[in-house]
């Protein structure tokens, strides 16, 4: 029997993230919030963060909401609401800044996928630290997906569905952010094994 984390403290944070993104889509706020390199260079620096929460279309939002639900099912019990919120804001900031500095070919960017790659990598590492062997499978699985994307390029079908290029370098940036976010967990695991 599947034991899903259905208590309000586990449901509300991912639900808030989905509702926020849906509201941005409903009110068509992309023009004001998307990563637009030219406008960021003119001083609209909020776009580095806000771009992570807007989407090219409803299909794009739907795919990212499916990712949020998957992560909720796998890792909701690992975080508290404030930690979840802090993780998403830290990862959104990390992803936006790194896309700006390390992906000069990206002029326009939207979507939660980079941030979600970071959240799932953090969750896999948390799984490992609490002794769940599936954490290793998830950790190596996400890195295999990222490696495949880097070698083969973005999925043409997904690009067509979301009406935009899939920013595979942003996925890599997000996953690296997840590892960095998990450094305290890694140190704790190392100390535990040395004891």
């Amino acid at each position: 029997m599947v034991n899903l984390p259905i208590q309000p403290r586990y449901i509300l944070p991912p639900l808030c993230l989905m509702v926020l993104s849906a509201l941005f889509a409903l009110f068509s706020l992309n023009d004001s919030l998307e990563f637009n390199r030219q406008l960021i260079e003119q001083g609209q620096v909020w776009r580095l963060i806000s771009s992570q929460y807007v989407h090219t279309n409803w299909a794009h939002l739907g795919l990212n909401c499916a990712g949020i639900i998957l992560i909720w099912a796998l890792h909701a019990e690992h975080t508290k609401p404030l930690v979840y919120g802090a993780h998403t804001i830290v990862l959104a900031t990390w992803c936006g800044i790194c896309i700006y500095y390390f992906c000069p070919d990206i002029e326009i960017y939207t979507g939660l996928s980079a941030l979600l790659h970071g959240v799932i990598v953090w969750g896999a590492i948390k799984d490992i630290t609490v002794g769940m062997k599936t954490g290793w499978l998830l950790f190596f699985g996400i890195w295999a997906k990222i490696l495949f994307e880097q070698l083969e390029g973005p999925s043409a079908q997904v690009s067509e569905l979301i009406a935009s290029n899939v920013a595979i370098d942003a996925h890599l940036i997000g996953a690296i952010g997840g590892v960095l976010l998990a450094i305290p967990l890694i140190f704790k695991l190392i100390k535990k094994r040395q004891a």
Side-chain angles (χ1 to χ4, degrees):
M1 184 172 168
V2 177
N3 187 16
L4 293 174
I6 56 171
Q7 294 87 349
R9 70 179 180 269
Y10 300 134
I11 291 175
L12 287 176
L15 186 60
C16 287
L17 183 57
M18 290 188 289
V19 167
L20 176 69
S21 292
L23 286 172
F24 287 163
L26 188 64
F27 291 105
S28 302
L29 295 176
N30 276 31
D31 287 343
S32 301
L33 301 177
E34 70 188 4
F35 180 103
N36 181 315
R37 184 170 297 278
Q38 183 179 3
L39 294 176
I40 291 168
E41 288 170 354
Q42 293 173 9
Q44 296 184 18
V45 293
W46 67 84
R47 293 172 178 272
L48 294 170
I49 300 170
S50 63
S51 59
Q52 310 300 308
Y53 302 99
V54 294
H55 296 81
T56 56
N57 58 27
W58 288 100
H60 188 196
L61 175 61
L63 286 173
N64 281 323
C65 285
I68 293 169
I69 292 167
L70 173 67
I71 293 166
W72 162 78
L74 291 171
H75 300 133
E77 293 168 320
H78 287 328
T79 62
K80 297 177 176 136
L82 288 178
V83 173
Y84 186 96
H87 283 180
T88 58
I89 292 168
V90 167
L91 286 167
T93 306
W94 163 264
C95 293
I97 290 170
C98 288
I99 290 167
Y100 181 79
Y101 284 108
F102 299 114
C103 303
D105 55 323
I106 296 179
E107 292 293 326
I108 303 289
Y109 175 83
T110 59
L112 283 163
S113 60
L115 180 158
L116 294 178
H117 277 74
V119 173
I120 201 160
V121 166
W122 181 90
I125 293 170
K126 180 67 176 179
D127 283 348
I128 292 165
T129 64
V130 297
M132 296 174 66
K133 305 243 185 270
T134 53
W136 288 106
L137 181 63
L138 184 58
F139 183 80
F140 287 117
I142 198 75
W143 284 104
K145 174 204 177 280
I146 290 168
L147 179 61
F148 180 80
E149 286 179 337
Q150 291 295 313
L151 295 174
E152 297 296 320
S155 165
Q157 293 87 359
V158 174
S159 292
E160 187 177 326
L161 181 66
I162 68 171
S164 179
N165 292 328
V166 177
I168 59 173
D169 291 338
H171 296 171
L172 173 61
I173 287 167
I176 292 168
V179 171
L180 294 175
L181 198 61
I183 286 174
L185 297 174
I186 295 167
F187 282 139
K188 191 183 287 187
L189 180 63
I190 291 168
K191 282 184 181 178
K192 184 178 169 185
R193 291 196 172 167
Q194 289 175 342

